[in-house]
Structures are given as C-alpha cells and as structure tokens.
Amino acid sequence: MSTAEIQPPSFAKGEVATFDVPELVVGFDLDMTLIDSRPGIQLVWDLLAAETGVHIDSELVVSRLGPPLTWEMANWFPPEQVDAMVKRYREHYPSHAITGSLPLPGVAESLAAIRALRGRTMVVSAKHTPSVRLHLEHLGLDVDEPVGDLHGAEKGTALREHHAGIFVGDHTADIDGAHAAGAVAVAVATGPFTADELRGYGADVVLNDLTEFPAWLDAYVLEQRLEALMKRLASYDKLVVAFSGGADSAFLLAAAARAIGPANVVAATAISPSLPDVELEPAARFADGLGVRHVTPHTHEMEREGYQANAGDRCYFCKAELVETLQPIADEFGITAIATGTNADDAIAGFRPGIRAAHERGAITPLKDARLTKAQIREASRSWGLATSDKPAAACLSSRIAYGIRITPTLLARVDRAEEAVRSRLAAYGVQNVRVRDLGEAGSIEIDHELIARVDHQELVDAVIAVGFTAARVDPRGFRSGSMNERLKDPDKYR
C-alpha cells in the first residue's frame, strides 16, 4: 500500500488491549497490615465495658486482631447478647476508632509501587465494610476496591472476583485467603504472628513490614513480565524489529536476540528527514554488538498528505509508512512478524494513533503485551548491561513541530540543528533531555527542569536563533515528553 492519503478507520480501544500476563491486582488486609488501628479499637471496647459493666481485657483484644468481630464479642458476652453488642460497637466505631488509627510504615510507598506498575489495589478485611471505607478515607489511602466482612478463606472469594494475584496480610487467616484464591501469599510480621510462624504456616513470602514490599514487588513483577516477554518472542522463528535506537526498541531487539538467536532477528532502522542524524550511527553500533542484521530502509512519510498536514493523527501516517516499508523486508527474509517497541505506558499515555496504525497492519507489540513499563525496561536493560538503559527519550523530529504547521524537510532540519546547538552548549552540565519546539517562527526550548536555574538562557536563545529561528525562549516548565499535545484543541478526536 503506497497511497498518499489514508483516512484512519474506526478503531476500538479493546483491540490493542491484549496481554500475555494478567493485570497486576494486589489485595491487602487492613488491621495491622496497612494500619495500626489498635488505639481506636481499644477505646471502643473500653466504652463498651463502661456501658455494660462487663470486664473486657481490651489489651488482650487488640493483641489478636484479625478474626470477625462476632468471634471476639462471644468471648465477653453470652450468645444472646452478641448481635446487640456488635451493633453497639459499630455505633461507637466511627466517632472513636477512626481518628486514632495510623498508617503503618511503608504503606504509601507500597501503594505507589503498585500504581507505578500500572496495577490496581484492593483491601479485603474482616472489618465491617463501612468502617473499612472510613479508615481509608481518613488516612487518604488510595485503594481501588475496599471489601469488608470476610475472614480467612472467605477472603479468597473477593480476591478471585477481582483477579488479585497477590494478597498481603499479617495473619494466618490471610494466608488462607490468599491460597483460596490461588494468589501469592505475602505475609508481614506486623501483627500477632512472628515471621517464623507465618513462614511455617505456609506464606509464600514473609517480610518484616511493608517497607520491604516495594522492592520485593518490583523484582517479582519484573521477573514475571520478562518471562512472559521471552516466552512470546520464543514463539517466533524469526522476527523483524522496528529499531529506532531508543531504549524500548533496543531492549526489544536484545530480548529477541536472546530468545531466538541473533541470526533470526533483523533490526530495521528507518531513514528519513524525521530521524535525527545523531541516532543512526549508535543504532548501527548497537545492532552490530548484538550480532543481528541491521538494515536501513528509507521511508517516505513526507509523501503522505496526512503526515505533512500535521494534525493530531500525524503519527498514524508515519507508523503506517514504517510498517508498510518493513513488510517487503520481512517477506524477503521469510519473516512473518514485525515487532515495534511500544511499551505498556505508551498504550495508555494520551493519544497514540501510531499504535493503532501499526496494529491495523499486523505489527506485534511484545513489550506492551508483557505489560512492561518504561521504568521496567530501563531496569532490565541495566541488568543486561545495555548501553541504552539510561538513554533519554528521543521522539522523531516531527513531534517538535506544532500541530497545524505543515511539515517540511527544511523545518525538520532546522529543529535538528537547533537541538544540537543547545545540547552542545549544555554538555558540561550533563544535560539529558533537549527539545526545541517549532511554534512557527519562534522556538520553545525545553531542557531538564533542574538545569533551568543554572544555565544562561540568552546563550541558548542566541544559539537557536543562529540556526534560523527568528525568536526563541526557554520554557520555564522544562522538558515534558509530548508537550505539543498540550496545545492540541481536541485530543479525544485522535485517541
């Protein structure tokens, strides 16, 4: 297909939402796992004792939190009074037990670690559901799904319903709940049981407390996702990798070489006015270091009206041109699959019409399908010793041209020269990210935010004007990936 004009067809988001690993869903127990609710709970029991005249050892009660309230109440009241006492306890609870609770160390970091991995969270507790919600709201804990009134193996019902693959708790009953759901039982020794007791009961993982959870989770999830990636890649006899030279496609190329052998992998770096000149030589060197064949076909996206027009769907036409250019190369080598370096973050970040174009033309996205995030790709790249592990993001030069300004090779070359001029003047500062956004005749200079107060703005402005811009300024907000999208009036139109 070589039409100069392609209108993007309708495309359901679900069509690109196929994954080789399940979504990360982590469940937590509440009391003594996420929060220390003992002071407030003890106060409620003391109030109940004062009201009824019944002796209640509230210190003993809070030393064994975990089982349902009715079980504990039966230790202090006759059976016929239990339901009434539970009701009274719950009446006192919102006013006296919530404000006294505190988050346990590592809670905020643990929830943030799950978010960073694009995961979801839930709480499954024996506590009354309204009380669970009150605790979470009071402490500002961002949990997707609070579930109460479940204990022990019963917790497995909620965990299965929400597809939780990990359950974290401090009690042996939490281990029962995890195992009932087929989830990994992670135990923290912050409740009534010691680490050895939890381990002996059958916990899959035992941590001293939640401060150790983020590191464990990162390592565990990365291992699972890398295993899924390698399994997927190994299912192909041969593969063409669309290799831009960036961190994502470089890691994919290295993974493919490991999975099926370098002789069965072709790295294809498209040459066009939109590729910065400085990218080609490092890409060739990287491919050579892996021992894979490196080809450099010329793409002609500039001949596509949709690309030149530079509306919000410009990337659609670029990716269409790329995949259609690589297809004859794949055919020549007897290869049935073309892979792009799209990652899990790309799939949900703003609008990415290029992903849609590649999908429609049969390209595969192994990194996305393994749910590998940008951070995980960099971490895995470091562990593999890849030179691209810390390489700054380097989108094509056309991403620097404001939407609505017609793209020409002259404009792309001007941006390339401007960025090289800025980068050379900031080399001594160890600059990572440089963008010169073409807003027409004016250039907007974006650099690492931490450098903005340290560098001579006028020197950078003069450098950009010297290569052909009539005016320029340093953006005080610093570098922001995809900042041109902020200027798009109707981004939903192109999602």
Side-chain angles (χ1 to χ4, degrees), residues 431-443:
V431 67
Q432 291 293 307
N433 295 288
V434 172
R435 296 288 188 273
V436 176
R437 310 293 188 184
D438 188 335
L439 307 182
E441 289 305 309

Side-chain angles (χ1 to χ4, degrees), residues 163-281:
H163 309 290
I166 299 170
F167 186 56
V168 187
D170 64 281
H171 201 284
T172 55
D174 298 323
I175 299 173
D176 292 335
H179 288 167
V184 176
V186 177
V188 287
T190 47
F193 296 93
T194 67
D196 286 341
E197 288 172 329
L198 293 166
R199 193 175 292 108
Y201 193 80
D204 299 304
V205 178
V206 178
L207 307 174
N208 289 317
D209 55 40
L210 281 180
T211 62
E212 299 176 358
F213 181 74
W216 173 82
L217 182 72
D218 286 345
Y220 173 78
V221 173
L222 180 57
E223 180 182 2
Q224 299 297 307
R225 292 177 178 180
L226 287 178
E227 183 179 334
L229 172 67
M230 300 306 284
K231 183 177 180 181
R232 162 65 78 94
L233 293 174
S235 70
Y236 297 96
D237 295 330
K238 298 179 180 180
L239 197 65
V240 171
V241 175
F243 176 48
S244 68
D248 297 332
S249 61
F251 177 71
L252 176 60
L253 187 65
R258 287 186 176 209
I260 60 177
N264 297 312
V265 181
V266 175
T269 304
I271 298 178
S272 78
S274 64
L275 177 73
D277 291 339
V278 297
E279 295 294 328
L280 186 56
E281 193 277 329

Side-chain angles (χ1 to χ4, degrees), residues 22-45:
E23 180 184 18
L24 174 64
V25 182
V26 180
F28 293 91
D29 175 53
L30 185 63
D31 291 336
M32 303 314 299
T33 297
L34 289 181
I35 67 173
D36 184 351
S37 54
R38 290 174 299 182
I41 289 176
Q42 186 170 3
L43 177 58
V44 175
W45 281 98

Side-chain angles (χ1 to χ4, degrees), residues 141-159:
L141 300 181
D142 182 19
V143 172
D144 294 308
E145 189 66 36
V147 179
D149 301 299
L150 294 175
H151 177 65
E154 293 176 340
K155 292 186 175 185
T157 303
L159 294 170

